[in-house]
Amino acid sequence: MDSNVILDVITADPHWAAWSATQLAQALDAGPVLINAIVYAEIAFASDAIEAVDALLPQHLYAYRPIPREASFLAAMAHADYRQRGGQRSMILPDFLIGAHALLESTGLITRDGRRYRQAFPGLKLILP
């Protein structure tokens, strides 16, 4: 069984690195961690080769899942609500795609940005500091 969608956990942030590493380790102990194209891209940003990214995300630890169209729709609705509340970004935020995917997969989400996810996706299990 998949344990969590990951976000903001593979960073060198000195304030949050220990918390992120602990949460990721606990999620991996529970089973493969779910990732999608957005999470993969955020991790790949710091790499020069796809093989390096795949080495960081071995298949026995991470389960890749495409983002279903239903999650894309939920992300669009969350973005519309964000804009109505005064949000300035005109493009759909990657966080909305990740959150909608986690909600539809009924997984938890490791994040340090609980406010946005609580507003956009009530009922989403958040793993927060």
Side-chain angles (χ1 to χ4, degrees):
M1 180 169 173
D2 297 320
S3 55
N4 295 291
V5 174
I6 61 172
L7 175 66
D8 292 336
V9 294
I10 302 178
T11 66
D13 183 315
H15 183 74
W16 293 109
W19 179 86
S20 296
T22 298
Q23 297 308 311
L24 181 57
Q26 289 175 355
L28 289 168
D29 285 346
V33 169
L34 176 65
I35 61 171
N36 59 35
I38 304 296
V39 172
Y40 189 95
E42 288 179 348
I43 294 166
F45 183 76
S47 296
D48 293 332
I50 195 168
E51 295 82 8
V53 181
D54 289 343
L56 287 172
L57 303 169
Q59 290 182 355
H60 70 285
L61 296 176
Y62 298 90
Y64 179 84
R65 297 260 177 83
I67 299 171
R69 73 180 198 284
E70 295 88 353
S72 296
F73 180 81
L74 285 176
M77 297 300 98
H79 181 74
D81 186 56
Y82 158 83
R83 290 297 304 260
Q84 286 180 341
R85 290 190 320 269
Q88 299 298 310
R89 295 189 183 175
S90 60
M91 300 290 291
I92 290 179
L93 299 173
D95 292 354
F96 290 152
L97 289 164
I98 293 168
H101 191 190
L103 185 64
L104 286 180
E105 293 278 350
S106 299
T107 65
L109 178 64
I110 301 171
T111 183
R112 297 184 310 247
D113 185 7
R115 182 186 57 81
R116 178 178 295 146
Y117 288 110
R118 276 191 200 100
Q119 284 181 333
F121 305 105
L124 175 60
K125 179 188 170 201
L126 297 175
I127 301 162
L128 300 163

